[in-house]
């Protein structure tokens, strides 16, 4: 169905999605100097990839349209006054999108930050200079609980308190003199917008919708349903500059958001957008109203058809084209390729890792099947949204090659022997790339199965895992605000010490050691 950001949040796969590309072997050594040309990345030792995953920032989002590249190049050749430029661009964005006004920001997250600043401080320079000191200012943002997500950090960075609600009644009760705005994540939770739009309007509370990965609807679907402002990523489906975003809404509020950003000396000064990105983003919107989306969809489906036809010739391999689900985010068909790992000889996880590490380098999405024995159902998915012309042939040939003649995969053998006794409290030391932390693991054991609690510096959460012979694997997840921090511990028990590596997804890996908590002599005995 194609993954939206919402799908990843709900599946718990966000940490894995962002951390997927970590931990792979390095490739080559950087060249001594940059060579500007077709091999610009290779010249410094970085390998480009074929993007079959979608508009993820970790794999550089999208490729800008030719018209955008030209606009950015031409814009770089002149000096202009940025306030005059944004005023002219705002007027043109209003003409193109039908919104009252528009500004270009340094990405969608920057748009969220500037919109929040504007709702707190307006265009009052004394209030602007006080941020993020919110004493005496509006300091709360109401969000439906289902809208909480990793990106709302861009709102929280102002120091505001996020007030979570589930119903219209709770929303009405949450409104007070501290309420600065309402924020909603586009997707299933944006239905909340229609329930509270009238209340928010009557109370004078701006409503901001985060529609980063959505297609740009004209007239705008969110503004039409009662949103005050809506924010988009410029470097996703709109195919503008990767470091650009779009904020649409009323002229006075958006001009205040612009004053709260660079080049002005305010909280958003660090979130600078240059003349090149501003004009590139405008060019992308100019092209958006001219592009033939239906024709693009037919092209993407033809690429999937070619890949499907090629790999379907392999025994046990099955393919299914899945049409996009309801919604406006990352709307494209995807191809699901499934096979019997025992007969083919490679699992989905192994294939995904192999084609990423070797040439031609391909990043896939949604792999499944990674059992040590290499048995069972496996699959991968192909998202054509950000593929370039001709890459369907590259991908089809590569997948056919790997699935028909899989490489020799060295799999770690299953540990044998009785599971070690690891129940109890363990004092854990985490050694990060920089810094360290002391955590606690409380393990309960039933044969090979482990359950319990992982307690960090401030947070704690349930854990699950296994112990096979002396090998321990434990996973936990902490919720904090709109995000989750995941830990995957792998290690061995030797001489009474657990030690190994913990993966934290997008935050990299750390070394960990753990020793049993030393209870004092006689602890737990009854007196008398």
């Amino acid at each position: 169905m194609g993954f939206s950001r919402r799908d990843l949040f709900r599946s718990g796969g966000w940490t894995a999605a962002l951390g997927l590309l970590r931990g792979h072997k390095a490739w080559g050594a950087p060249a001594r100097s940059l060579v500007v040309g077709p091999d610009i990345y290779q010249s410094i030792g970085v390998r480009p990839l074929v993007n079959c995953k979608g508009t993820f920032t970790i794999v550089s989002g999208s490729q800008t349209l030719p018209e955008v590249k030209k606009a950015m190049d031409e814009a770089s050749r002149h000096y202009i006054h940025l306030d005059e430029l944004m005023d002219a661009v705002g007027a043109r964005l209003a003409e193109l999108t039908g919104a009252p006004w528009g500004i270009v920001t340094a990405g969608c997250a920057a748009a969220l930050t500037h919109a929040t600043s504007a709702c707190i401080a307006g265009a009052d320079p004394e209030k602007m200079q006080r941020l993020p000191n919110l004493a005496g200012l509006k300091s709360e943002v109401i969000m439906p609980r289902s809208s909480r997500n990793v990106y709302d950090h861009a709102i929280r960075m102002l120091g505001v308190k996020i007030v979570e609600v589930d119903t219209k009644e709770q929303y009405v009760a949450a409104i007070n003199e501290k309420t600065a705005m309402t924020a909603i994540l586009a997707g299933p939770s944006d239905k909340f917008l229609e329930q509270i739009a009238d209340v928010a309007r009557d109370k004078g509370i701006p409503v901001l919708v985060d529609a980063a990965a959505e297609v740009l609807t004209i007239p705008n679907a969110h503004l039409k349903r009662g949103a005050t402002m809506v924010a988009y990523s410029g470097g996703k489906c709109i195919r503008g500059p990767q470091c650009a975003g779009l904020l649409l809404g009323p002229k006075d509020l958006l001009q205040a958001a612009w004053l709260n950003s660079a080049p002005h000396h305010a909280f958003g000064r660090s979130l600078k957008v240059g003349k090149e990105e501003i004009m590139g983003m405008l060019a992308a919107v100019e092209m958006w109203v001219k592009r033939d989306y239906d024709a693009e969809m037919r092209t993407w489906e033809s690429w999937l058809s070619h890949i499907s036809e090629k790999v379907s010739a392999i025994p046990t391999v099955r393919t299914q084209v899945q049409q996009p689900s309801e919604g406006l985010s990352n709307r494209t068909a995807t191809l699901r390729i499934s096979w019997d790992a025992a007969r083919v000889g490679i699992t989905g996880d192994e294939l995904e890792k192999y084609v990423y590490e070797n040439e031609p380098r391909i990043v896939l999405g949604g792999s499944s099947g990674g059992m040590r024995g290499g048995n069972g159902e496996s699959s991968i998915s192909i998202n054509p949204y950000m593929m370039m012309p001709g890459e369907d042939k590259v991908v089809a040939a590569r997948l056919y090659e790997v699935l028909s003649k899989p490489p020799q995969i060295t799999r770690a053998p299953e540990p044998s022997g009785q599971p070690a006794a690891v129940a109890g409290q363990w004092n854990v030391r985490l050694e990060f790339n920089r810094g360290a932390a002391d955590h606690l693991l409380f393990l309960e054991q039933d044969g090979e199965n482990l359950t319990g609690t992982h307690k960090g510096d401030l947070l704690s959460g349930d854990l699950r895992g296994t112990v096979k012979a002396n090998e321990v694997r434990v996973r936990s997840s902490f919720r904090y605000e709109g995000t989750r921090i995941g830990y995957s511990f792998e290690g061995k028990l030797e001489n009474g010490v657990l030690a190994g590596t913990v993966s934290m997804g997008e935050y990299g890996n750390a070394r960990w050691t753990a020793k049993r908590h030393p209870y004092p002599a006689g602890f737990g005995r009854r007196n008398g």
Side-chain angles (χ1 to χ4, degrees):
M1 292 180 289
F3 283 112
S4 68
R5 299 192 303 167
R6 166 67 58 184
D7 296 326
L8 287 165
F9 300 146
R10 289 189 178 278
S11 68
W14 186 249
T15 298
L18 292 179
L20 171 68
L21 309 182
R22 287 191 177 271
H24 294 297
K25 62 185 179 182
W27 177 80
R32 290 186 177 181
S33 61
L34 174 70
V35 178
V36 178
D39 295 332
I40 185 171
Y41 290 113
Q42 292 92 329
S43 73
I44 58 170
V46 176
R47 298 166 59 205
L49 50 83
V50 176
N51 183 1
C52 296
K53 189 176 181 67
T55 57
F56 290 89
T57 301
I58 193 66
V59 290
S60 61
S62 66
Q63 289 195 27
T64 55
L65 295 167
E67 294 83 359
V68 172
K69 292 181 175 69
K70 183 176 180 181
M72 294 179 71
D73 180 62
E74 292 297 335
S76 71
R77 301 175 186 276
H78 306 274
Y79 292 103
I80 45 82
H81 191 287
L82 284 174
D83 284 339
E84 294 175 357
L85 175 62
M86 192 58 77
D87 193 54
V89 168
R92 180 56 180 159
L93 288 173
E95 292 177 355
L96 290 168
T97 67
W101 201 251
I103 63 170
V104 177
T105 63
C108 184
L112 301 182
T113 301
H114 300 327
T116 307
S117 297
C119 290
I120 296 171
D124 184 334
E126 291 189 23
K127 292 179 180 178
M128 290 162 62
Q129 289 303 312
R130 288 164 59 186
L131 298 178
N133 180 356
L134 299 179
L137 302 177
K138 294 181 182 297
S139 59
E140 294 183 357
V141 172
I142 304 175
M143 291 185 73
R145 195 180 313 274
S146 56
S147 273
R148 296 306 308 274
N149 66 90
V150 293
Y151 300 105
D152 64 40
H153 205 155
I155 296 171
R156 290 192 290 114
M157 66 191 289
L158 270 297
V160 298
K161 175 185 177 182
I162 303 292
V163 179
E164 297 181 0
V165 297
D166 293 307
T167 65
K168 179 180 179 179
E169 291 72 25
Q170 291 176 359
Y171 177 78
V172 173
I175 296 173
N176 60 66
E177 68 279 359
K178 296 181 180 179
T179 305
M181 73 175 191
T182 303
I184 298 175
L185 178 69
S189 63
D190 69 12
K191 296 176 182 177
F192 189 76
L193 171 61
E194 295 167 341
Q195 300 174 31
I196 58 91
D198 290 342
V199 175
R201 187 184 308 108
D202 292 343
K203 297 288 186 179
I205 299 172
V207 179
L208 170 65
V209 172
D210 173 3
E214 286 195 350
V215 296
L216 176 60
T217 50
I218 301 174
N220 191 271
H222 304 294
L223 297 180
K224 189 176 181 181
R225 293 188 299 118
T228 314
M229 296 176 286
V230 57
Y232 292 92
S233 170
K236 290 186 168 62
C237 59
I238 302 176
R239 291 185 63 186
Q242 185 60 199
C243 293
L246 199 60
L247 183 63
L248 304 177
K251 183 176 181 179
D252 61 340
L253 194 52
L254 264 63
Q255 287 185 329
W258 171 243
L259 290 176
N260 277 272
S261 71
H264 314 103
H265 296 88
F267 181 84
R269 170 74 189 189
S270 61
L271 305 175
K272 181 186 292 186
V273 61
K275 61 183 183 291
E276 296 84 2
E277 288 79 20
I278 293 171
M279 296 306 288
M281 190 68 247
L282 178 60
V285 178
E286 296 272 6
M287 289 305 301
W288 180 261
V289 300
K290 300 175 183 177
R291 286 166 58 183
D292 187 339
Y293 187 81
D294 290 337
E296 290 181 354
M297 179 70 82
R298 289 192 295 271
T299 297
W300 298 330
E301 289 179 342
S302 72
W303 293 347
L304 296 183
S305 178
H306 176 72
I307 297 170
S308 175
E309 183 178 350
K310 183 74 174 178
V311 300
S312 294
I314 303 170
T316 83
V317 173
R318 303 173 307 284
T319 63
Q320 180 183 11
V321 174
Q322 298 172 315
Q323 295 301 320
S325 59
E326 292 298 321
L328 301 171
S329 183
N330 284 314
R331 287 192 57 78
T332 178
T334 57
L335 177 66
R336 196 73 179 172
I337 303 175
S338 308
W339 66 91
D340 183 337
R343 290 187 60 184
V344 173
I346 190 170
T347 68
D349 291 352
E350 290 167 345
L351 186 149
E352 183 175 7
K353 185 173 185 288
Y354 183 80
V355 299
Y356 179 81
E357 291 184 340
N358 295 279
E359 291 293 338
R361 193 182 199 193
I362 303 169
V363 59
L364 303 171
S367 70
S368 67
M371 291 171 281
R372 286 183 175 180
N375 299 314
E377 182 79 358
S378 281
S379 65
I380 57 169
S381 68
I382 305 289
N383 183 330
Y385 205 31
M386 291 297 121
M387 290 172 63
M388 294 293 105
E391 290 180 343
D392 60 312
K393 296 179 175 58
V394 173
V395 173
R398 185 57 167 159
L399 293 182
Y400 179 85
E401 176 188 13
V402 176
L403 286 169
S404 60
K405 296 179 181 179
Q408 188 68 37
I409 302 294
T410 301
R411 301 186 179 100
E414 288 277 3
S416 59
Q418 289 295 314
V422 296
Q425 178 178 335
W426 294 81
N427 298 335
V428 181
R429 181 70 170 176
L430 297 181
E431 298 285 348
F432 305 111
N433 181 52
R434 180 177 176 83
D438 294 315
H439 289 203
L440 294 174
L441 294 180
F442 299 90
L443 301 179
E444 299 178 19
Q445 184 172 356
D446 181 9
E448 292 187 344
N449 298 316
L450 299 176
T451 56
T453 303
H454 174 193
K455 188 176 186 302
D457 280 341
L458 299 172
L459 308 174
S460 64
D462 293 339
L463 63 80
R464 289 185 178 276
T466 60
V467 53
K468 297 187 177 182
N470 71 332
E471 185 176 301
V472 174
R473 295 178 177 226
V474 171
R475 290 189 176 187
S476 62
S477 178
F478 298 165
R479 184 187 176 192
Y480 184 77
E481 293 284 350
T483 189
R484 280 192 173 273
I485 305 171
Y487 295 86
S488 294
F489 292 87
E490 293 189 7
K492 292 183 179 180
L493 178 65
E494 296 178 339
N495 300 320
V497 177
L498 280 169
T501 301
V502 55
S503 171
M504 299 167 291
E506 64 174 304
Y507 304 110
N509 297 331
R511 295 292 301 170
W512 69 285
T513 55
K515 297 180 180 179
R516 288 187 183 276
H517 182 74
Y519 291 101
F523 179 82
R525 295 180 182 174
R526 292 189 179 184
N527 295 324

